[in-house]
Amino acid sequence: MRHFFSVGGESALAQVMCRKPLLAFDFDGTLTPIVSRPEQAFASKAVALRLHALSQLLPVAIVTGRTIEDARERLGFVPTYLIGNHGAQDENDPVKTAFLCEGLNPLREALQAHQAELAAAGVRVEDKGLSIALHYRLSRKRAQAVTLIHNLLAPLGSLIKVFAGKMVVNAMAKDAPDKADALRTLVQRSGASCAFFAGDDVNDEPVFAAAAEDWFTVRVGRDDPTSKAKYFLDGPSEMATLLDCMLAALSK
Ligand SMILES: [Mg+2]
């Protein structure tokens, strides 16, 4: 993995841009810094303006762990596609959405039964319909909180899949699409021949791992040296400059 602004990154991106890719981005930690209270995360004007300009030229997708409804308010522009719940929430597929939501009912019951324990450990439960996030960022006993969460989820192992995020454990129906599935669908739907994707977290790695050889992938942050992305940025603060490189490549 090389830094995007090292030798070769910008010219490799320019080559991909000539092929009219789908441009896809995670939101939290990618377009905007991680904040201790997720409700305070909004795309900066600099990022939103550039993404709007790009969306006039190429299909732009946001693929986020948030719900579609939540993410929409935070972008500052209207993307071509907005996929929520880690790849599983697709406005074009309401039947599957309802089915995947019901698949989490056994977990909802378990969480309800252990409500007091979770609250005492500082775990905040966020039910996003197709996924349930168990946040422990604000817990004073994080190790204990994580143990409690995993003990609670373990008996449901055959029904749900569990993956970590930044100070959060996420649970979804076992057969829910992930971000890699979502990207594959979007590339088809848009008719693009390849894709650009940037993300910063565990749930973005399936996209990097499944990406075709001619896709352009960027991990935001240096926190995972084993990432399968081709390039990295130091943080979301470098995103506006990367978007400028995209716009410059398209104007040639
Ligand atoms: Mg993220």
Side-chain angles (χ1 to χ4, degrees):
M1 207 168 46
R2 287 170 290 172
H3 195 287
F4 171 71
F5 294 110
S6 67
V7 181
E10 290 178 57
S11 59
L13 179 63
Q15 280 179 18
V16 172
M17 293 304 285
C18 292
R19 300 179 47 228
K20 309 273 178 252
L22 167 78
L23 305 177
F25 304 84
D26 165 54
F27 180 69
D28 292 274
T30 298
L31 297 181
T32 178
I34 298 284
V35 288
S36 54
R37 298 197 175 270
E39 63 274 19
Q40 290 169 353
F42 292 91
S44 67
K45 201 154 198 176
V47 163
L49 283 172
R50 285 162 176 80
L51 286 171
H52 171 73
L54 286 164
S55 73
Q56 305 302 299
L57 304 167
L58 289 175
V60 172
I62 303 298
V63 185
T64 171
R66 291 179 186 260
T67 64
I68 290 175
E69 299 75 14
D70 178 10
R72 207 184 329 256
E73 305 303 316
R74 304 178 178 280
L75 299 176
F77 83 108
V78 179
T80 321
Y81 306 107
L82 179 51
I83 300 290
N85 270 296
H86 311 283
Q89 189 186 8
D90 184 341
E91 285 174 313
N92 290 350
D93 201 345
V95 176
K96 187 161 190 186
T97 294
F99 175 76
L100 292 170
C101 182
E102 271 174 38
L104 288 176
N105 284 346
L107 174 57
R108 290 188 179 98
E109 284 161 27
L111 292 171
Q112 186 74 33
H114 293 84
Q115 217 173 14
E117 260 172 281
L118 287 161
V123 177
R124 189 172 67 84
V125 177
E126 185 188 7
D127 189 339
K128 299 188 276 186
L130 283 81
S131 71
I132 295 179
L134 302 165
H135 299 274
Y136 56 91
R137 184 175 293 276
L138 300 178
S139 169
R140 291 188 185 166
K141 303 168 243 170
R142 284 179 181 165
Q144 270 170 270
V146 172
T147 305
L148 172 64
I149 291 169
H150 285 292
N151 288 345
L152 236 152
L153 297 178
L156 298 164
S158 61
L159 302 173
I160 58 172
K161 58 179 174 184
V162 174
F163 54 95
K166 291 177 177 163
M167 303 291 168
V168 61
V169 177
N170 301 289
M172 306 187 70
K174 195 132 215 170
D175 48 0
D178 64 10
K179 288 194 180 191
D181 298 320
L183 256 283
R184 215 172 293 125
T185 303
L186 290 178
V187 166
Q188 266 181 6
R189 199 177 284 167
S190 66
S193 64
C194 60
F196 166 96
F197 179 71
D200 74 306
D201 210 343
V202 175
N203 63 346
D204 300 306
E205 285 298 326
V207 182
F208 301 145
E213 191 50 42
D214 59 349
W215 287 24
F216 199 97
T217 52
V218 178
R219 170 102 183 189
V220 180
R222 295 179 188 240
D223 52 335
D224 181 4
T226 67
S227 173
K228 296 284 189 292
K230 282 186 185 159
Y231 293 92
F232 69 89
L233 292 178
D234 283 331
S237 61
E238 292 182 332
M239 186 51 77
T241 313
L242 183 148
L243 299 177
D244 278 338
C245 294
M246 289 181 161
L247 285 163
L250 291 173
S251 70
K252 277 179 192 153

